[in-house]
Amino acid sequence: MTELRDERGSGISSAPLSHDSLTAREAGLLVAEAVDTGRLERAPAARLAMRLSDERVRGAVLEGALESKRRGKGDAVSVSRNVF
C-alpha cells in the first residue's frame, strides 16, 4: 500500500496504489465519468497517473482531455500573444 502525501508531508490517501490497480477499461470509464461530471477526485486521478506509462491508459486520458475541451469550447482554437 502506498500513501500519497501532500507538499507538507501529511498523508492524504491510504488507498492501495500499484501498477496493476487499474485496467485500460477501468481507465476509460474513469475518464468518461470525469468528462461527463466535469470533475475527477484525487484517488481516481492518482490511479490514472500511476498508469500513464500504459499506452492504452494514456490514450484514454488524452481522448478524455480532448472531449472535455470540445464540450467546453468547441473545436475553436485560440491564440494569445503576450506583449510586454
Side-chain angles (χ1 to χ4, degrees), residues 69-70 73-79:
K69 181 261 181 201
R70 282 186 182 138
K73 297 194 181 264
D75 285 325
V77 175
S78 63
V79 178

Side-chain angles (χ1 to χ4, degrees), residues 35-84:
V35 171
D36 288 343
T37 63
R39 58 183 290 122
L40 181 61
E41 298 296 328
R42 182 184 306 258
R47 291 179 71 202
L48 287 167
M50 293 291 292
R51 292 290 303 210
L52 286 175
S53 61
D54 181 327
E55 188 174 321
R56 295 171 300 165
V57 172
R58 191 171 53 253
V61 170
L62 293 173
E63 287 178 26
L66 181 58
E67 180 59 25
S68 178
K69 181 261 181 201
R70 282 186 182 138
R71 290 184 187 189
K73 297 194 181 264
D75 285 325
V77 175
S78 63
V79 178
S80 65
R81 182 176 14 170
N82 294 328
V83 179
F84 296 96

Side-chain angles (χ1 to χ4, degrees), residues 6 8 10 12-13 17-18 29-30 46-47 50 54-57:
D6 66 11
R8 294 178 307 268
S10 62
I12 55 177
S13 173
L17 294 174
S18 72
L29 293 173
L30 282 174
R47 291 179 71 202
M50 293 291 292
D54 181 327
E55 188 174 321
R56 295 171 300 165
V57 172

